[in-house]
Amino acid sequence: MKTKILASLIMAAATHAALAYTPSKPDACPTLAAIKSAGITEAYKMGEGSDGWLSVIRKNSFGTNVEWEFILQSGYKNKDTREVIKLANESLSSLNLMGEPQLTKEDGKEAWVCGYMPANPSDADGPLYGIALTPADTMELPTAMRIMRRMR
């Protein structure tokens, strides 16, 4: 009987902890040098008929105390996936870090986010905005896109 009660209490505590989980604040945002060193390896068209792309680096610490996911939104037109990955990697040097990690909540999940803006944001065919999210794989790409729009 005691074992059942103890097991029930542990399950209740674990469920409560999972529902109320707020990730610890990272020490710092990933540097652009660390992001460039890792390199973008994936790119996804934002939607049918869209000229927008999301380029991604999944699960990398970038020299920090936590794992991140980096997502770059770009407006490359008439390009295939391989070209977008190449252009996205080349464009990383045009970005600027926009401060410290910020806690955000979307779809009931919390994550720390760092924003990156291009030096020349008027270039609609290049990088538009980047974010690093931790914990990595916390949110689906559509959710990350909503965060990106909100942070601009």
Side-chain angles (χ1 to χ4, degrees), residues 40-43 80-90:
I40 290 172
T41 57
E42 302 173 43
D80 65 25
T81 303
R82 219 171 327 158
E83 289 175 295
V84 169
I85 291 171
K86 179 181 179 284
L87 291 168
N89 278 305
E90 291 171 359

Side-chain angles (χ1 to χ4, degrees), residues 41-59:
T41 57
E42 302 173 43
Y44 303 95
K45 195 92 160 133
M46 287 176 55
E48 194 63 39
S50 169
D51 287 326
W53 288 84
L54 294 177
S55 303
V56 181
I57 302 171
R58 297 198 187 269
K59 288 194 177 184

Side-chain angles (χ1 to χ4, degrees), residues 22-72:
T22 297
S24 298
K25 183 176 182 180
D27 292 340
C29 291
T31 65
L32 285 162
I35 293 169
K36 284 188 267 188
S37 177
I40 290 172
T41 57
E42 302 173 43
Y44 303 95
K45 195 92 160 133
M46 287 176 55
E48 194 63 39
S50 169
D51 287 326
W53 288 84
L54 294 177
S55 303
V56 181
I57 302 171
R58 297 198 187 269
K59 288 194 177 184
N60 193 305
S61 69
F62 301 113
T64 68
N65 64 323
V66 296
E67 282 201 328
W68 297 85
E69 182 168 63
F70 179 78
I71 304 165
L72 177 69

